[in-house]
Amino acid sequence: MINKKTDAELELLFSHNTVESISPRLQALQDFFPRMERELKKVGVTVHHMWEQYIALHPDGFQSSQFRYHYKVWGKMP
């Protein structure tokens, strides 16, 4: 019964402050983006070139279309 729960148990039950965890694979990708953003300011550097560098470092990483999608989403984060 709910009236027998402790405050801590109630907090867990009703709290909407859940921390969203992301996969290590996605975290590695997001960690790559700040460097990528700096590199893209250089002449001749393209998103495709940066994806090639990323996939060389992370062979099990995201393919080009997902890489571009996540970069776009990351760029809109506050």
Side-chain angles (χ1 to χ4, degrees):
M1 296 191 67
I2 200 156
N3 59 349
K4 293 185 180 185
K5 297 216 178 274
T6 67
D7 286 346
E9 290 171 323
L10 290 171
E11 178 68 25
L12 280 173
L13 234 132
F14 294 105
S15 175
H16 295 290
N17 297 332
T18 56
V19 176
E20 205 173 308
S21 65
I22 62 172
S23 71
R25 187 171 165 230
L26 184 55
Q27 185 63 57
L29 178 63
Q30 290 180 350
D31 290 345
F32 182 80
F33 288 152
R35 175 176 157 243
M36 176 175 159
E37 195 169 45
R38 287 188 303 275
E39 291 294 314
L40 285 172
K41 292 177 182 173
K42 296 178 181 177
V43 175
V45 178
T46 65
V47 172
H48 184 76
H49 174 75
M50 294 308 299
W51 172 76
E52 288 175 336
Q53 286 186 17
Y54 160 77
I55 208 69
L57 293 170
H58 306 280
D60 62 337
F62 292 92
Q63 294 304 307
S64 182
S65 61
Q66 285 293 302
F67 178 86
R68 289 170 185 269
Y69 167 78
H70 286 294
Y71 180 61
K72 192 177 200 180
V73 170
W74 177 83
K76 294 179 181 177
M77 293 172 81

